[in-house]
Amino acid sequence: MATVVTLGSAPVLATVGARLALGERTGAAGTAAVASGVTGLGLCCPTVSAWHGPCS
């Protein structure tokens, strides 16, 4: 599960880091990557809580 979370959060962290460190603007592809990463991580939480208890 840690690998899934790491891979899912990578686009979000890369986009935020590029914005803060380099001042880059997020294009359509960057926005789609962030949205899919956040959505995927959001879908993981109910799945994991069904196996291991509530997410915190």
Side-chain angles (χ1 to χ4, degrees):
M1 192 64 193
T3 302
V4 173
V5 171
T6 301
L7 291 174
S9 64
V12 177
L13 296 175
T15 301
V16 170
R19 177 68 175 168
L20 294 176
L22 304 173
E24 291 184 5
R25 295 192 175 216
T26 304
T31 302
V34 169
S36 65
V38 170
T39 301
L41 292 172
L43 291 173
C44 283
C45 188
T47 304
V48 171
S49 66
W51 294 336
H52 300 291
C55 288
S56 53

